[in-house]
Amino acid sequence: MTLQALLDNKNITKYHLSKISGVPKTTIIDMCSGKSSIEKCSAKTIWQIAKALNCPMEDIMLLDSKDRYDDKSGLPADKAYLECGLPMYLQKSLDDMINSWKIIDNGGNDNYWDLYWCELNASINSAETDQDISSEQAWYLREKYLRMDRSKNI
């Protein structure tokens, strides 16, 4: 649910929320439109809005979080966290592949693309076998950077 949806449910306008909470109207408008993120607001702003809407601060903080977290697993929807803490050799292979894909995707020709692809694949497999990365991380990297389809490889 968004802040705008919550206001609609309570039949409260942005202007009225601004008046009863003391939060500037422009801040409320930016939060309702998505221009400003609720999670970047100060605790005071969240507290003022929560108090005005007669709900816990946690309810305000959870607004708009549906898109950020998977409903089933509770994990972040953005899987970029799976790229953190990679071994140096894997990160180097990844960087080489990213640069090669940039050339290919822009219509260029990279004579080393197949070398980088094989090197990255081997690095992922090695890191997974050595348990430096999880199977989930390995498949995330394969799908994103090797452009493999997991469903075709199981």
Side-chain angles (χ1 to χ4, degrees):
M1 178 182 284
T2 64
L3 179 59
Q4 183 62 58
L6 180 62
L7 293 178
D8 291 345
N9 286 345
K10 292 184 177 260
N11 204 21
I12 297 175
T13 66
K14 293 182 267 293
Y15 175 77
H16 184 66
L17 177 60
S18 172
K19 287 296 176 197
I20 63 175
S21 68
V23 175
K25 186 174 129 185
T26 54
T27 301
I28 302 291
I29 290 170
D30 288 349
M31 291 170 67
C32 287
S33 70
K35 184 176 178 184
S36 292
S37 171
I38 290 174
E39 58 187 27
K40 292 187 179 178
C41 289
S42 71
K44 180 181 178 185
T45 299
I46 299 300
W47 176 78
Q48 289 174 288
I49 292 171
K51 185 176 176 188
L53 295 176
N54 196 28
C55 64
M57 289 177 64
E58 291 83 0
D59 289 355
I60 303 301
M61 289 302 299
L62 290 174
L63 293 174
D64 297 328
S65 66
K66 181 177 176 137
D67 295 337
R68 292 190 298 262
Y69 296 96
D70 183 280
D71 289 336
K72 293 178 185 173
S73 68
L75 295 171
D78 178 7
K79 303 266 185 205
Y81 69 92
L82 293 171
E83 296 183 44
C84 297
L86 300 176
M88 287 179 58
Y89 68 92
L90 177 53
Q91 188 62 57
K92 165 98 172 67
S93 297
L94 196 60
D95 293 340
D96 290 341
M97 189 77 250
I98 290 168
N99 291 330
S100 188
W101 275 120
K102 284 179 186 174
I103 295 168
I104 299 295
D105 290 342
N106 287 319
N109 183 26
D110 185 355
N111 293 328
Y112 297 105
W113 175 89
D114 56 341
L115 171 73
Y116 295 137
W117 193 97
C118 291
E119 181 183 328
L120 179 56
N121 192 34
S123 294
I124 292 170
N125 292 341
S126 177
E128 182 181 20
T129 301
D130 292 344
Q131 297 182 343
D132 290 333
I133 63 171
S134 67
S135 181
E136 180 185 13
Q137 282 178 292
W139 271 108
Y140 169 81
L141 296 172
R142 288 181 189 113
E143 289 175 326
K144 183 171 181 182
Y145 296 106
L146 297 177
R147 301 182 182 180
M148 294 173 75
D149 184 354
R150 185 175 188 172
S151 64
K152 292 181 181 179
N153 291 292
I154 294 181

